[in-house]
Amino acid sequence: METTEAFSGLECTDCGATFDAAETTHRCEECGGILDPAYDLDAIDVDWGTVESRPVDSMWRYEELLPFCRESAVTAEEGGTPLVECPTLAEELGVGRVLIKDEGRNPTGTVLDRGLSLAVTAANGHGASDVALPSTGNDGQAAAAYAGRADLEAHAYLPARSSHTHKSMVNVHGGDMTVTGGRFPDAEAGFREAMAEHDWYSLEAFATPYRHEGEKTLLFEIVEKLEWEVPEAIVYPTGSGLGPVALHKGASQFRDLGVIDELPGIYAAQAEGCAPIVEALGEEREVTEPIEYPDTICGGIEIPDPNASPLILEALRESDGGAVATKDGEILDAAIAVAKNEGLEMDPSSAAAASGAWQLAEGGEFDGDATVVVVSTGTGNKEADVLRSHLMGQGI
């Protein structure tokens, strides 16, 4: 595996054991904990101000803070997405600025392309022939796309409720798809049964150390676009928790390198019908309790038992952020309002962040001059039928 100079290996987030990334692929061999890529930050000799002169072509412009060299990457030029000023939204929220980070413009229309570029690069470097994961939809599609670029076989386990677009594109990209029962835990069960029978390389969130690592570049791009200033808040729609963990790591690295002085407040936005992070934070717990009967239109973030909840909660607390849950109707209203007033298309799961930002603002969470970034994690046209049905139901 061709790695960058500063990348020093993998470290367990639970017991602190360290491993050679060329040999260890997934969980900690000592305790089964989540592994995290580690770096020797002293080995990074970059004038971050000059990074602005690099082409804004992909997340790989931050190669020095990624594990693998750009030359060996399995990439479709993911990243480099716009941070769009939203003046109408800012006025309605009563804050100085609102900007939407539009991740729907990634190759397969999702932020998850960032992490799957890295994860498939690792799988390729480890000599895998087949990769597999359970998915709510977006990451199954993205995994099939990146596996195809690396000439690997992809196996995606999706719940029946995933959108027609997600299911179609897994197959269009050449992936093998298994549709399970109605919700994500059913997809997880199908995936685990298959993994017990096959020697496939897992791309499951937080099983591979590299998916959250790719998503941290989102933070780098936000800070650079804001002229190396930190927004007061970043609101992120949260299911598995890749986003908050990634944002926290990226901000922490930039702070340790002296690029920024403080962390942005990171806020997890969920739907009321499946809000394990919101409940755990409100009850001051260190780990989530599974939601027994999840029920939300936001299938992309309907994860009733996120397996990295201690890391998610740590990211929210250490950044002085928080968590918010809103009703499905409010989430769909937010998606339509953003489309009508700002011209940006958010899928229902993404719109949980916009709806959450509204609720946080109404609750006085933000100062009047605050800069608030809302992350749109996926393009709206993948679930346009859901948005239009809600629109027609309003009689508009």
Side-chain angles (χ1 to χ4, degrees):
M1 298 175 69
E2 187 178 356
T3 61
T4 52
E5 183 178 355
F7 178 49
S8 58
L10 302 171
E11 181 176 350
C12 179
T13 57
D14 287 342
C15 72
T18 57
F19 302 93
D20 183 343
E23 302 296 330
T24 300
T25 60
H26 291 86
R27 291 280 191 150
C28 175
E29 296 171 6
E30 300 292 332
C31 72
I34 293 170
L35 296 181
D36 187 47
Y39 298 82
D40 176 9
L41 296 183
D42 291 334
I44 298 175
D45 184 19
V46 176
D47 177 359
W48 291 99
T50 66
V51 171
E52 294 174 308
S53 64
R54 298 176 180 177
V56 185
D57 56 355
S58 77
M59 71 178 193
W60 293 92
R61 66 202 301 268
Y62 304 104
E63 177 183 11
E64 292 89 349
L65 273 173
L66 292 173
F68 310 120
C69 298
R70 186 170 190 158
E71 290 74 18
S72 65
V74 179
T75 176
E77 306 299 333
E78 56 290 322
T81 57
L83 185 64
V84 183
E85 198 84 43
C86 296
T88 301
L89 196 52
E91 183 177 352
E92 291 186 2
L93 267 63
V95 298
R97 299 174 75 187
V98 171
L99 303 102
I100 291 180
K101 182 64 168 164
D102 191 2
E103 289 293 289
R105 304 196 206 186
N106 276 302
T108 75
T110 172
V111 66
L112 299 171
D113 289 344
R114 295 177 186 261
L116 282 159
S117 170
L118 272 187
V120 173
T121 297
N124 203 37
H126 285 126
S129 61
D130 294 69
V131 295
L133 78 169
S135 170
T136 58
N138 271 319
D139 46 356
Q141 177 182 341
Y146 284 88
R149 290 188 68 86
D151 196 25
L152 305 178
E153 296 294 326
H155 307 274
Y157 289 77
L158 276 65
R161 68 164 301 174
S162 294
S163 77
H164 176 73
T165 299
H166 290 134
K167 292 181 219 173
S168 298
M169 293 310 296
V170 170
N171 290 147
V172 169
H173 284 299
D176 168 48
M177 178 179 62
T178 299
V179 178
T180 65
R183 301 190 181 275
F184 181 68
D186 300 307
E188 283 186 304
F191 164 75
R192 302 211 187 290
E193 183 178 337
M195 290 294 285
E197 298 177 0
H198 300 282
D199 186 24
W200 294 341
Y201 191 102
S202 175
L203 299 180
E204 184 182 12
F206 294 108
T208 167
Y210 300 107
R211 288 186 55 182
H212 63 283
E213 193 67 9
E215 282 197 38
K216 76 181 182 184
T217 57
L218 189 75
L219 183 283
F220 300 160
E221 291 178 10
I222 290 170
V223 170
E224 182 183 353
K225 187 68 173 180
L226 294 176
E227 299 181 343
W228 308 103
E229 295 293 329
V230 175
E232 279 73 17
I234 302 176
V235 188
Y236 196 104
T238 301
S240 68
L242 285 167
V245 173
L247 291 170
H248 181 250
K249 180 171 184 181
S252 298
Q253 286 185 322
F254 259 14
R255 181 192 57 191
D256 293 344
L257 286 165
V259 180
I260 58 178
D261 295 326
E262 58 186 357
L263 304 180
I266 299 169
Y267 293 83
Q270 301 195 290
E272 283 191 1
C274 187
I277 298 298
V278 175
E279 291 182 10
L281 198 67
E283 295 171 7
E284 299 184 350
R285 288 189 270 109
E286 298 302 317
V287 65
T288 56
E289 294 180 358
I291 302 298
E292 187 172 2
Y293 300 109
D295 183 17
T296 171
I297 196 68
C298 304
I301 57 173
E302 192 187 78
I303 309 290
D305 188 18
N307 61 16
S309 63
L311 297 181
I312 304 166
L313 294 166
E314 179 183 40
L316 303 181
R317 288 173 175 137
E318 289 192 358
S319 69
D320 198 24
V324 59
T326 51
K327 300 180 185 299
D328 281 2
E330 296 168 337
I331 291 168
L332 296 174
D333 286 345
I336 292 168
V338 169
K340 290 176 65 175
N341 297 321
E342 305 293 359
L344 301 178
E345 299 177 359
M346 310 176 82
D347 68 3
S349 294
S350 298
S355 178
W358 251 297
Q359 182 164 301
L360 288 166
E362 290 172 357
E365 186 72 15
F366 308 135
D367 293 334
D369 60 351
T371 295
V372 178
V373 173
V374 173
V375 180
S376 177
T377 51
T379 181
N381 59 25
K382 293 188 182 185
E383 297 185 62
D385 55 334
V386 176
L387 300 177
R388 188 175 186 276
S389 294
H390 183 70
L391 185 67
M392 295 300 100
Q394 294 176 321
I396 297 176

